[in-house]
Amino acid sequence: MIEYDQLYIGGEWTSPAGSSTIPVHSATSEERIGVVPEGCEADIDAAVAAARKAFDDPAGWSRWEPSQRAEVLERFAVSLEKRSEETERRVSLQNGMPIWLAQQFEGPFPPLLLRYYGALVRDVAQEEIRPGMLGGKSVVAREPIGVVAAIVPWNVPQAITFLKLAPALAAGCTVVLKPAPETVLDALLMSEAAVEAGLPAGVLNVVPGGREVGAYLVAHPQVDKVSFTGSTAAGRAIGATCGQLLRPVTLELGGKSAAIVLDDADLQSSIESFFAATLLNNGQICWLGTRVLAPRSRYDEVVDTVTGLAGSLRLGDPMDASTQVGPLVSARQRDRVESYIAKGLNDGARLTTGGGRPADLDQGWFVEPTVFAEVDNQHAIAQEEIFGPVLAVIPYGSEDEAIAIANASDYGLGGSVWTTDPDRGESVARQVHTGTIGINAYVNDPTAPFGGIKASGTGRELGPEGLHAYQHLKTIYLAP
């Protein structure tokens, strides 16, 4: 059992205002493995007040030189690295992420982002002087936006947390973080690292809680900016609230991305990259290419290849380094995925592999990697985000038809093109309506912006654009 009885607010471990707790369960054993306090509105009030005080302090975090903040972020990175093995373990226990993937995403990525954004604010000028056309000149300065409400999901909890924390803190903002109830043990371990690193009081505050607590935080009158990663339905509600308040918001939401297999593709030679772009993290990543578009001239071959891949994956304990697919995060999530498998069958799609629970695993929220063939792009399994290891293989005739099918979606977050001709792949990629897309692979590089269009959200994370999301522009006119 990993137990906490306090919250990290105002630079200290403090007793929660209420008595409710969040039980934490293993996705593999289904057993209870921890408990943390559940924050309430009074805790949010205290956290926001601490963040507000820290931001408004005339000698505080927002007024520090960027190099000073970068030094603290480096100490934070070092403290996180000391705890990386335990962070990886806790994430895998909670959400079923295979441990080898946690060792790539959850351990090293947060320190990498802290160092990237620390260097960015330290080394890149945050203001410029522009000569005027009407006489005089202007100073255009980037200033921290204020108190940030950061709400993160359970699927890649630490990496996504630092998509927000690293640029926000580097910019000089202060943050109230609400982690998802399913993955709170890693968030409080991260708080321990913040204490050791000596983050000034109130710069970072962590309040676990459910939707109601999140909604209260989003609408709090002392919050200046909201950054949310999660479902499109929740994002719409948050966007509506922020619209009413004229409050800046970044929304990284759902996806139903297309993996376009062109007629010259050699999937076998890039099967590991294809797996990473379509079934990574047990299918619990928003940008995965869960719609596989295959040319009719090679349709059966592509179906066989994708089916062979899914059927060959090793299911099991995510703490085992040889496991490729672990359990889903919860019984509720497994029920959701199974309901979509039933919809696929009812709509007439042909199941080629999977579709059930593994017979040799009687504990854990497992679903077999599942592939459907003969899928129409209008089927529910082709239009709605499932968030599990389920792929829909959709046939197309011409290249133009493939692009049209890829674009016939409410979403636009990720995607990929598979071909032996990179120039042809880039031409197709440029015609797909999406925020990000890869050719023969897919990766979120820290230097390039990540985010979606349409129902996949608004705003960008990563790259300099991720820093700019936590800054506003101030123009100072200087008379001649």
Side-chain angles (χ1 to χ4, degrees):
M1 287 287 290
I2 303 171
E3 299 180 272
Y4 290 87
D5 58 7
Q6 293 181 307
L7 302 174
Y8 178 58
I9 296 175
E12 299 178 338
W13 292 103
T14 64
S15 297
S19 59
S20 296
T21 58
I22 299 173
V24 183
H25 293 85
S26 163
T28 307
S29 69
E30 306 179 32
E31 296 175 351
R32 183 164 163 169
I33 58 172
V35 62
V36 306
E38 181 176 25
C40 62
E41 292 183 0
D43 296 311
I44 293 293
D45 288 339
V48 174
R52 183 85 267 160
K53 180 180 179 181
F55 184 81
D56 291 342
D57 182 350
W61 184 254
S62 64
R63 307 295 179 89
W64 285 18
E65 289 295 319
S67 60
Q68 292 178 282
R69 292 198 296 269
E71 289 176 5
V72 176
L73 297 188
E74 173 60 26
R75 295 203 302 268
F76 196 7
V78 171
S79 295
L80 288 169
E81 286 173 332
K82 292 180 184 178
R83 295 163 174 80
S84 61
E85 186 174 344
E86 178 64 10
T87 297
E88 294 153 7
R89 187 182 78 89
R90 290 189 185 190
V91 170
S92 292
L93 285 172
Q94 292 171 109
N95 71 2
M97 177 184 288
I99 189 66
W100 58 266
L101 185 58
Q103 290 165 352
Q104 295 179 30
F105 280 3
E106 299 297 84
F109 206 59
L112 183 152
L113 290 176
L114 287 169
R115 291 181 172 122
Y116 170 71
Y117 282 108
L120 200 60
V121 294
R122 185 189 64 230
D123 301 337
V124 178
Q126 298 301 304
E127 64 179 53
E128 62 175 300
I129 298 177
R130 299 180 185 177
M133 298 180 67
L134 303 176
K137 55 189 176 182
S138 298
V139 177
V140 180
R142 294 187 179 274
E143 298 189 344
I145 208 165
V147 175
V148 174
I151 301 175
V152 300
W154 46 258
N155 61 326
V156 194
Q158 281 303 294
I160 293 176
T161 290
F162 281 86
L163 291 183
K164 306 176 190 309
L165 279 193
L169 296 181
C173 297
T174 58
V175 179
V176 178
L177 172 72
K178 191 203 80 67
E182 294 86 351
T183 47
V184 288
L185 301 179
D186 55 290
L188 293 179
L189 182 65
M190 180 270 294
S191 302
E192 295 175 19
V195 172
E196 181 181 86
L199 265 69
V203 168
L204 172 62
N205 310 270
V206 181
V207 183
R211 294 179 181 179
E212 295 79 10
V213 169
Y216 184 77
L217 174 60
V218 166
H220 200 285
Q222 293 299 310
V223 165
D224 298 302
K225 151 106 183 170
V226 175
S227 182
F228 170 78
T229 299
S231 72
T232 295
R236 291 186 193 279
I238 290 170
T241 298
C242 291
Q244 284 290 110
L245 296 170
L246 299 179
R247 178 169 295 169
V249 61
T250 298
L251 299 171
E252 197 271 282
L253 309 177
K256 195 67 184 179
S257 303
I260 304 174
V261 181
L262 297 182
D263 56 15
D264 66 343
D266 180 6
L267 281 188
Q268 286 294 351
S269 67
S270 53
I271 200 68
E272 290 185 9
S273 295
F274 189 80
F275 163 72
T278 57
L279 287 166
L280 198 67
N281 197 24
N282 319 329
Q284 297 179 140
I285 295 182
C286 50
W287 47 254
L288 290 174
T290 53
R291 289 186 297 151
V292 180
L293 277 53
R296 286 191 175 89
S297 61
R298 297 182 59 192
Y299 185 75
D300 291 343
E301 176 193 346
V302 172
V303 168
D304 288 346
T305 299
V306 175
T307 299
L309 167 65
S312 69
L313 297 173
R314 179 170 177 174
L315 277 71
D317 183 352
M319 302 304 295
D320 184 336
S322 66
T323 292
Q324 294 167 292
V325 177
L328 301 182
V329 70
S330 64
R332 181 176 65 177
Q333 185 63 20
R334 181 177 62 182
D335 290 344
R336 171 184 170 85
V337 172
E338 289 177 334
S339 74
Y340 274 102
I341 292 172
K343 286 181 182 179
L345 293 170
N346 290 337
D347 284 340
R350 176 169 60 88
L351 185 68
T352 68
T353 190
R357 303 177 185 182
D360 59 337
L361 297 171
D362 56 4
Q363 283 185 314
W365 298 304
F366 289 91
V367 173
E368 297 171 320
T370 299
V371 177
F372 282 101
E374 298 165 20
V375 178
D376 187 285
N377 196 49
Q378 298 306 310
H379 288 170
I381 60 171
Q383 286 295 312
E384 300 175 22
E385 185 174 42
I386 300 173
F387 227 61
V390 180
L391 300 182
V393 187
I394 303 168
Y396 69 85
S398 66
E399 188 175 289
D400 287 344
E401 184 184 5
I403 295 166
I405 292 172
N407 291 337
S409 171
D410 291 337
Y411 297 101
L413 183 58
S416 55
V417 183
W418 303 85
T419 176
T420 54
D421 183 345
D423 290 338
R424 183 185 178 196
E426 183 176 348
S427 174
V428 171
R430 289 180 180 276
Q431 298 176 72
V432 178
H433 299 158
T434 187
T436 62
I437 191 165
I439 300 169
N440 295 326
Y442 183 92
V443 66
N444 296 135
D445 191 282
T447 65
F450 167 72
I453 61 174
K454 300 189 282 189
S456 290
T458 182
R460 292 294 181 267
E461 296 179 307
L462 295 178
E465 295 80 4
L467 177 67
H468 299 164
Y470 297 96
Q471 298 171 318
H472 64 75
L473 294 173
K474 176 186 283 185
T475 299
I476 304 170
Y477 295 103
L478 303 177

